[in-house]
Structures are given as structure tokens and as C-alpha cells.
């Protein structure tokens, strides 16, 4: 009875595969969440930028609201196909 009992050798292969599968699942889920969140943020940013698309540089802050509106209106009237020009670029 001086001999120590040897522990049973349990195959670690199923546990190793399970850990790997859980890690891959977590990685794919985080990637999916990141893609969705990125698309949402990009969509919000694009919508916000469209409102500020027609800018007149640093002098814009020196103009009154009415003057900025008049400049914007004349610019849009002078360039009715602005979206087509941008798409062509």
C-alpha cells in the first residue's frame, strides 16, 4: 500500500474544443455587434454632415444667420445638380 494511486488520465480534447468553440463564438458575436454599431454611427454621422455640407469656410461665423441663409440659397440655385456632380467625382 505504499504505492500511490495514479490519477485517471482524462482526455482533454473535448474540453479544449469546447473552449475554442466558445471563444470563436464570442469573437464572431463581438465582430457582429461592432459592425452593426459602426454602421449606425456612420449613418448618423453622414446624416449630420449632409446638413453642414455647404460650408463657406472660417468666414461663416462672421456672417449673420440671414446672410448665411442667403448665401446657401444662392449656392443651391446656382448648382442644382450638386448631387450628380458629387456622384461623378
Amino acid at each position: 500500500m505504499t504505492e500511490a494511486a495514479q490519477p485517471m488520465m482524462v482526455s482533454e480534447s473535448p474540453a479544449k474544443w469546447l473552449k475554442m468553440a466558445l471563444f470563436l463564438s464570442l469573437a464572431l458575436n463581438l465582430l457582429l455587434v461592432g459592425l452593426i454599431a459602426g454602421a449606425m454611427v456612420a449613418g448618423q454621422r453622414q446624416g449630420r454632415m449632409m446638413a453642414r455640407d455647404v460650408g463657406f469656410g472660417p468666414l461663416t461665423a462672421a456672417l449673420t444667420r440671414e446672410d448665411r441663409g442667403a448665401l446657401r440659397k444662392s449656392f443651391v440655385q446656382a448648382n442644382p445638380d450638386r448631387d450628380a456632380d458629387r456622384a461623378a467625382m
Side-chain angles (χ1 to χ4, degrees), residues 2-20:
T2 59
E3 211 173 291
Q6 297 227 350
M8 291 181 54
M9 297 294 277
V10 178
S11 175
E12 293 185 28
S13 181
K16 193 181 286 188
W17 284 106
L18 181 62
K19 287 180 183 180
M20 193 179 310

Side-chain angles (χ1 to χ4, degrees), residues 23-79:
F23 176 76
L24 289 175
S25 175
L26 177 64
L28 288 175
N29 285 331
L30 289 175
L31 177 68
L32 184 63
V33 168
L35 287 173
I36 292 171
M40 290 174 61
V41 169
Q44 289 175 354
R45 186 178 309 143
Q46 184 179 19
R48 198 173 27 195
M49 293 302 286
M50 293 302 287
R52 297 172 43 192
D53 194 34
V54 181
F56 298 102
L59 298 177
T60 304
L63 299 172
T64 65
R65 178 174 275 188
E66 292 80 19
D67 289 339
R68 286 192 301 260
L71 278 174
R72 188 180 308 108
K73 184 177 178 182
S74 66
F75 182 78
V76 170
Q77 286 175 350
N79 301 304

